[in-house]
Each structure stands twice: as structure tokens, then as C-alpha cells.
Amino acid sequence: MPKASSKAQQQAAGAALAAKRGEQDKSDLQSASKEMYETMSEDELETMASTDRSDLPETAG
């Protein structure tokens, strides 16, 4: 399962996960989180969203 490579990616995965679970309206999703919602399973999103943020850069690059 993939782990987030940046804080932005971890946050996008959290938003997509919330939409998958029905806790957030999927129409509120933008760009990366929308793509994650459409292409990743709930388990994959949970793994990515739960990545420890302390050692992650703000953005990947």
C-alpha cells in the first residue's frame, strides 16, 4: 500500500477518504483528492491518510 510522500498528498488522501465514507460531499473534492477518490480503494486511502506527517515535506518534488 502506498504511503504519502508529502503533507499535501496526505491531506488530499484524507479528504478523498472522508468522501468515500460519506462524511464529505464528493463534489467538494478538488484535483488530487478527486483523482484519488476515483482511482483508489478505501484501504489505500486510509493507509495514505494515516502516514505520519512529521517527516514529510510540505509538497512532493
Side-chain angles (χ1 to χ4, degrees), residues 38-55:
E38 294 171 351
T39 62
M40 298 176 75
S41 71
E42 188 172 327
D43 286 341
E44 290 172 317
L45 289 169
E46 189 168 343
T47 298
M48 190 171 282
S50 67
T51 302
D52 182 22
R53 294 173 57 115
S54 62
D55 293 330

Side-chain angles (χ1 to χ4, degrees), residues 19-39:
K20 280 266 191 198
R21 292 179 173 170
E23 299 167 358
Q24 179 177 332
D25 191 353
K26 69 178 181 177
S27 66
D28 292 338
L29 299 177
Q30 298 176 358
S31 58
S33 57
K34 189 173 192 174
E35 184 177 335
M36 289 176 175
Y37 174 85
E38 294 171 351
T39 62

Side-chain angles (χ1 to χ4, degrees), residues 5-17:
S5 58
S6 69
K7 291 178 182 178
Q9 189 179 47
Q10 190 260 356
Q11 186 175 12
L17 179 60

